[in-house]
Structure formats: structure tokens, C-alpha cells
Amino acid sequence: MKFISWNIDSLNAALTSDSKRAVMSRKVLSDIATYDADVIAIQETKLSSKGPSKKHEDILQQIFPNYNYQWVSSIEPARKSYAGNLVFYKKNLSPKVTFPKIGAPDTMDMEGRIITLEFDNFYFTQVYTPNAGDGLRRLSQRQEWDVLYGDYLEDLDRNKAVIASGDFNVAHEEIDLAHPENNRRSAGFTDEEREGFTKLLDRGFVDTFRYLHKDDKGVYTWWAQRVKTSKINNSGWRIDYFLVSERIKDKIIKSEMIDSGERQDHTPILLEISK
């Protein structure tokens, strides 16, 4: 089976704007469609609490005619049009879809951060992990999230094998970002967040990219928009992942990035796994 995951940083903007960035985003969506993946996970949709509009639906139908989709958005008291997830799955598939809440602090459970698909033999779950924020103002809450999310994945894994995808908002090791020496207390590379990710893997999960590409350097999934030359100079971070249950790691065929051209921010990632 084939899976794709991408933090789009506003599905609304990608589908309705005429900006250069929106045009590039639509091209990435069209490129994703050519891969004929079984499941496509989209994070940070930034849709309203009502979900896709009629205009959104029409465009998505044009790009992904062979898929059904489900979505979850941020709802009050969380910020409006914030975070959010959407998942496409082929029309011949009929998973049970849930939108889990994990008892997370603050408004995190209301921010539309998790969608889970239950299939006969495995779970596919996607996440948009909360960012520790400017000045690490949300770091302690992020640490709570990491524990609770780990509990959730471990609970799923007791029942069936798990494939977990998404923007985990952490570069796990020094090899996972271009300039570790300059980012020791940056959100996404604090000791606390990295330890949280290590503990998640220690619960019985495998980072599929690093499993296949143990020593590969300079391979990233995110380049800061604020720095115009970040992608040109490949000054990036690897913060988007496909994790799988340890017991199915031998089924991993491919785990790699999909080229998003000049577009900065996140690039899509691909997982191929044998049935």
C-alpha cells in the first residue's frame, strides 16, 4: 500500500488564492494525485469549523476524483481556522474514521489535530503535533501532549499494527536539521521535544525514513518561509514522519520525500509498505 502525508499550511489558501505560493501549492496537490496513493493525509488545513466550502469541494473533486475524504477543524474555544486535518482515501476502501481526543492540555484537543482510519489489519493515524511556540511558551504543554499521544498510539498498537504520519514538529537528531548548533533552544529541537520523540519510538515504533536511510544527511521536509534562501541553500529540518509499529518494519518498501519544487515550508512525504 502507498501513503502520502503533507502539511499544506492552509488548504483554503491553496485552493482559493491566485498568489504565486497558492499556484505552487495546487501544483503539489496535482503532483500528489499522480502517485495513486491509497491514503493521503493533509495537515494544517486552516479551514473553518464548518470544513470545506462548496468551492473547496468542487476543486478537491477535480484533483482527487477517486477519493473520499474526511476532515476535522479547530472549534471553539480554540482559535478559529487554526490547525486542522483532512484525509483522502480511495473509494474502494471503507475504513472506520475517528477524530480522537487524548485529554491534551489547553485547547489542543479542540484544534483538530488527529484523524484515525481503522482498517481490517492496521490503523492509519495522522497528526499535526502542537508547536512549542515562540519563546517556547507552549513547551510544557507540548511535553504533556507527547506523553498522551504516545499513550494513544501504544493503545492502538495493542490491538493492531499502526502507521502514524504527519507533522511531528520535532527534528529528532542532529542529522535531521542543517544547523543543530544554532537551534539548541529553538522550538522543534529542544532537548525536551527530542527526548519526547525518543520515548515515543521506544514504545515500539520505527521512524521509517531513518530505518531505510540510516546515515543520509541533508534530506529535509521543511524550509523556513521567513528565510528566502532556506530552500536554495537546503537549510532545512526533517520534522515530518511516517512511523510504523516495530513488528511491521520489515514490510517497509520505500520512505522518501516528494519534490515540491521552489515552494518553501513543508514538502510531502511518501511511504510504501507491503500488505
Side-chain angles (χ1 to χ4, degrees):
M1 296 186 75
K2 195 181 296 182
F3 306 89
I4 291 174
S5 180
W6 184 33
N7 179 320
I8 196 171
D9 185 28
S10 184
L11 181 63
N12 177 59
L15 297 183
T16 62
S17 173
D18 293 323
S19 70
K20 180 180 178 181
R21 176 176 168 78
V23 171
M24 289 191 292
S25 297
R26 287 195 290 276
K27 183 180 185 306
V28 175
L29 285 172
S30 296
D31 289 346
I32 285 173
T34 67
Y35 281 80
D36 195 35
D38 296 280
V39 179
I40 302 167
I42 305 291
Q43 299 93 51
E44 201 173 2
T45 54
K46 295 183 179 177
L47 296 177
S48 77
S49 60
K50 296 179 181 180
S53 67
K54 180 63 166 60
K55 183 175 183 179
H56 295 148
E57 290 176 345
D58 290 345
I59 298 170
L60 292 175
Q61 174 63 25
Q62 292 173 23
I63 301 173
F64 299 104
N66 300 319
Y67 293 82
N68 292 320
Y69 63 86
Q70 295 281 348
W71 57 271
V72 62
S73 292
S74 179
I75 58 174
E76 293 184 352
R79 288 164 52 189
K80 294 180 180 180
S81 300
Y82 174 65
N85 279 292
L86 185 147
V87 63
F88 297 95
Y89 52 92
K90 282 189 172 180
K91 288 183 177 179
N92 65 313
L93 301 174
S94 54
K96 178 182 177 182
V97 184
T98 55
F99 311 95
K101 293 179 172 59
I102 59 174
D106 194 26
T107 60
M108 290 176 175
D109 267 343
M110 314 303 288
E111 293 166 3
R113 292 190 174 274
I114 306 174
I115 300 178
T116 298
L117 309 184
E118 181 180 356
F119 294 93
D120 290 342
N121 300 316
F122 69 96
Y123 292 101
F124 177 90
T125 185
Q126 71 179 84
V127 65
Y128 176 38
T129 302
N131 192 295
D134 293 337
L136 302 179
R137 57 181 174 77
R138 223 178 183 189
L139 178 58
S140 62
Q141 295 169 335
R142 161 64 187 267
Q143 290 178 269
E144 291 182 60
W145 168 281
D146 285 344
V147 173
L148 293 165
Y149 180 71
D151 291 343
Y152 172 69
L153 285 195
E154 192 171 22
D155 188 54
L156 291 182
D157 190 49
R158 291 190 185 98
N159 189 31
K160 299 177 185 179
V162 174
I163 300 171
S165 74
D167 175 1
F168 284 77
N169 260 317
V170 61
H172 185 210
E173 303 288 355
E174 290 191 359
I175 195 175
D176 294 315
L177 71 167
H179 301 291
E181 67 282 357
N182 299 334
N183 287 286
R184 297 295 176 189
R185 293 305 291 170
S186 296
F189 195 62
T190 63
D191 290 344
E192 293 89 339
E193 292 163 299
R194 295 170 64 196
E195 181 182 9
F197 196 76
T198 296
K199 288 181 177 179
L200 174 60
L201 296 180
D202 287 346
R203 290 176 184 249
F205 299 97
V206 172
D207 171 356
T208 61
F209 177 81
R210 197 53 71 198
Y211 177 72
L212 294 182
H213 310 277
K214 184 176 181 181
D215 300 315
D216 282 14
K217 297 180 180 179
V219 185
Y220 308 121
T221 67
W222 178 82
W223 300 264
Q225 293 185 66
R226 296 177 184 177
V227 183
K228 291 183 179 180
T229 59
S230 65
K231 196 165 189 180
I232 295 171
N233 296 332
N234 199 27
S235 181
W237 297 47
R238 189 174 73 94
I239 59 177
D240 303 87
Y241 299 82
F242 273 108
L243 310 182
V244 300
S245 298
E246 173 84 26
R247 64 184 179 277
I248 62 169
K249 66 182 181 182
D250 292 340
K251 294 180 178 290
I252 302 168
I253 299 170
K254 184 183 294 184
S255 183
E256 61 188 27
M257 290 63 180
I258 294 173
D259 185 10
S260 55
E262 296 179 9
R263 186 187 185 278
Q264 290 180 223
D265 204 59
H266 295 262
T267 202
I269 57 176
L270 168 74
L271 175 71
E272 191 171 341
I273 195 164
S274 62
K275 292 183 179 181

